[in-house]
Amino acid sequence: MSFFGFGQTADIEIVFDDADKRKVAEVKTDDGKKEKLLLYYDGETVSGRVNVTLRKPGSKLEHQGIKVELIGQIELFYDRGNHHEFISLVKELARPGDLLQHTSYPFEFANVEKPYEVYTGANVRLRYFLRATIVRRLTDVVKEVDIAVHTLCSYPDVLNSIKMEVGIEDCLHIEFEYNKSKYHLKDVIVGKIYFLLVRIKIKHMEISIIKRETTGSGPNTFTENETVAKYEIMDGAPVRGESIPIRVFLAGYDLTPTMRDINNKFSVRYYLNLVLMDTEDRRYFKQQEVTLWRKSDKSRLPLHNAHVPQTLSHPSQQMPRQLSVSSEDNSHSVSTNVSSNPNLMQRSISPSMSDGDKPNGPSEMEQEKPDVITNKLSNAHIENNDQEEGNEPVEQPISEEKPLIAEKPKISEKPQITEKPQITEKPVIAGKPVLNRPESEATPSQ
């Protein structure tokens, strides 16, 4: 036993399992300083080990049991004697007995519900901590370690904007508009101020973010206002019809999510305060409450394959595949696509040339507008072997590319090419299609 500090005692150390991998968060203390704590979220498991080290090796330590507790607690500064616990979980590590050597005890609190976020304000403190206790007859050996807890929220991207018209009758009418009413802690507040009626001499205008902390209830209600940020958004007298833009970045300020009726003990709300001051130093203001929430830092996995472009359209709207005209089947399919929707074609299709053939056509055709070539291709017609003898000849324009031919035609002579393309008529096809031209045609440029 230990009397007046004599005898055996021990030191307690709490070690978390994933302390080296877990993120840390800065949390305010009672004296206004900040300390870094391990960060947990709602539903996560808290596990680790409790190490008991004897100060006098070789002598035993009598105890009435060893336990570890996970506690969530609200402490009101005006009532420090009463601590309100909303979470209290206990794990028994050892039964009453004697400790003869250094011992380590594992513990685990699986899937712990953590409904609130840690908070330290002007009149209230909410904290989570682990408490390891060696129960003894006279004085217990206790060790406490705080942890940080953040609550995550998610709101739709499309949120309702705030739009309100305020003012003084027959003196000042303004209309302010904010892009939304709910902002995450790294968001940007965007808005505009419209002056509908100005009959007073305004000196300047400013916007501020106010945090309002309310603790207690009934006659024991305490309210504390704190100006978190202040911006001067206008200097000088505006005129009717003037609009003033607003842009406030929240990432640089020490903000917490909005808290409403936390365990019926306290609330934390945020307001946008618009203040106008005239030349006689009279102040006109309007407050609008906004909701702040914490966004998850974990990036979601992309829903698309990284190797596939994201600009793929519906299969019905995709570009038809470019095919070379080397057979009767694909020549028929290309003709169908061109005639059905010529606007889908971005480049023309050249047929396979027979040995000895060279592309013909003047150089001016290369400078022709693409839409002209596309329109001509849309009017092109490809003959199939299924056509009966005696069909009417089909007109075919001359373009930069050679005409599409179902089979390998015999080209006796090449048509004459002038500065502008001419349309020649094809003869009646008896068996195999043959292209003829007049004997007086000149040799085209190569």
Side-chain angles (χ1 to χ4, degrees):
M1 298 178 65
S2 176
F3 297 96
F4 304 104
F6 299 98
Q8 179 65 285
T9 184
D11 294 327
I12 301 176
E13 181 186 13
I14 300 177
V15 180
F16 296 91
D17 285 341
D18 50 357
D20 54 341
K21 300 179 181 179
R22 184 167 291 276
K23 294 175 60 176
V24 296
E26 291 186 348
V27 179
K28 278 186 178 181
T29 58
D30 292 340
D31 54 0
K33 297 181 180 180
K34 291 185 177 181
E35 60 178 351
K36 293 184 178 181
L37 304 178
L38 294 179
L39 179 59
Y40 287 84
Y41 297 97
D42 182 22
E44 285 190 328
T45 298
V46 180
S47 61
R49 304 186 72 86
V50 175
N51 298 328
V52 179
T53 304
L54 299 179
R55 291 186 178 180
K56 296 180 179 180
S59 60
K60 65 179 181 179
L61 174 65
E62 297 181 0
H63 63 86
Q64 305 301 317
I66 302 176
K67 63 181 179 180
V68 62
E69 302 170 88
L70 176 59
I71 298 175
Q73 178 179 282
I74 297 176
E75 178 183 352
L76 300 175
F77 294 164
Y78 64 85
D79 188 15
R80 289 183 178 270
N82 296 325
H83 294 164
H84 307 276
E85 296 182 356
F86 56 90
I87 290 179
S88 180
L89 303 176
V90 182
K91 294 286 185 180
E92 295 292 341
L93 301 180
R95 296 180 179 180
D98 298 334
L99 278 181
L100 302 178
Q101 57 184 357
H102 306 324
T103 311
S104 179
Y105 301 96
F107 69 89
E108 180 182 18
F109 297 97
N111 304 325
V112 181
E113 181 182 359
K114 311 174 193 67
Y116 311 125
E117 181 163 329
V118 293
Y119 175 77
T120 301
N123 297 316
V124 65
R125 181 186 182 189
L126 189 150
R127 59 191 286 246
Y128 294 84
F129 61 94
L130 285 171
R131 177 193 293 159
T133 307
I134 300 177
V135 182
R136 306 186 66 186
R137 292 184 179 180
L138 295 180
T139 57
D140 296 340
V141 182
V142 181
K143 176 69 173 180
E144 292 183 357
V145 176
D146 284 74
I147 61 174
V149 173
H150 283 175
T151 57
L152 303 179
C153 299
S154 178
Y155 288 96
D157 295 336
V158 180
L159 299 174
N160 296 329
S161 61
I162 301 175
K163 190 174 182 180
M164 185 177 298
E165 182 177 345
V166 296
I168 305 172
E169 186 176 0
D170 297 333
C171 293
L172 176 67
H173 284 179
I174 63 174
E175 181 182 85
F176 63 86
E177 181 178 2
Y178 303 115
N179 57 340
K180 49 188 176 181
S181 60
K182 296 179 176 63
Y183 299 90
H184 61 81
L185 299 183
K186 307 296 182 182
D187 211 340
V188 182
I189 299 176
V190 180
K192 280 188 178 181
I193 307 295
Y194 301 94
F195 288 89
L196 306 179
L197 177 63
V198 182
R199 291 182 179 175
I200 59 177
K201 296 181 179 180
I202 298 177
K203 184 167 59 176
H204 73 271
M205 180 170 59
E206 63 186 23
I207 187 172
S208 58
I209 302 175
I210 297 178
K211 181 177 77 171
R212 181 171 299 167
E213 176 187 297
T214 304
T215 57
S217 59
N220 295 326
T221 301
F222 297 89
T223 301
E224 189 77 20
N225 291 330
E226 177 185 355
T227 301
V228 179
K230 181 184 293 186
Y231 279 98
E232 182 174 327
I233 58 177
M234 188 194 69
D235 189 10
V239 296
R240 180 180 178 182
E242 194 77 31
S243 64
I244 308 298
I246 297 174
R247 187 175 293 269
V248 181
F249 296 87
L250 303 179
Y253 300 101
D254 186 14
L255 301 172
T256 65
T258 298
M259 305 178 182
R260 293 186 174 90
D261 298 329
I262 302 300
N263 205 34
N264 296 325
K265 298 299 179 184
F266 72 98
S267 298
V268 179
R269 290 179 168 88
Y270 289 89
Y271 297 85
L272 292 178
N273 190 32
L274 185 65
V275 180
L276 288 84
M277 183 176 295
D278 62 9
T279 55
E280 299 179 1
D281 292 338
R282 289 179 295 191
R283 298 170 64 89
Y284 309 89
F285 67 96
K286 176 63 178 178
Q287 290 186 357
Q288 176 64 42
E289 183 179 1
V290 294
T291 301
L292 301 185
W293 54 281
R294 187 178 299 278
K295 186 178 181 180
S296 175
D297 296 334
K298 300 177 181 179
S299 59
R300 298 179 58 184
L301 294 176
L303 299 180
H304 64 277
N305 189 348
H307 301 285
V308 178
Q310 301 183 34
T311 57
L312 293 179
S313 59
H314 192 270
S316 61
Q317 301 175 356
Q318 289 184 359
M319 187 72 64
R321 186 176 179 180
Q322 308 292 336
L323 299 176
S324 61
V325 184
S326 58
S327 63
E328 298 178 358
D329 297 335
N330 56 23
S331 65
H332 179 70
S333 62
V334 171
S335 174
T336 305
N337 291 333
V338 172
S339 60
S340 61
N341 194 352
N343 295 327
L344 292 179
M345 301 296 293
Q346 294 183 350
R347 61 181 182 182
S348 58
I349 304 172
S350 301
S352 59
M353 295 183 294
S354 59
D355 297 335
D357 290 342
K358 295 183 180 180
N360 58 356
S363 59
E364 288 79 9
M365 295 298 295
E366 297 178 357
Q367 302 176 2
E368 192 173 2
K369 296 183 180 179
D371 55 348
V372 177
I373 300 176
T374 306
N375 294 332
K376 291 181 178 181
L377 285 177
S378 63
N379 297 324
H381 180 75
I382 303 174
E383 296 181 355
N384 298 323
N385 289 336
D386 297 336
Q387 291 180 336
E388 298 179 356
E389 296 182 0
N391 289 344
E392 295 294 330
V394 181
E395 295 182 356
Q396 182 175 355
I398 299 177
S399 61
E400 182 183 359
E401 294 81 8
K402 299 179 72 63
L404 304 179
I405 302 174
E407 294 183 353
K408 293 183 179 180
K410 295 181 180 179
I411 303 176
S412 58
E413 294 179 355
K414 296 183 179 179
Q416 180 181 0
I417 306 299
T418 59
E419 292 183 356
K420 294 184 179 180
Q422 298 179 356
I423 301 176
T424 59
E425 297 183 356
K426 297 178 67 177
V428 178
I429 301 174
K432 296 183 179 180
V434 179
L435 297 180
N436 297 323
R437 68 172 183 176
E439 295 180 356
S440 62
E441 293 178 348
T443 303
S445 60
Q446 297 298 328

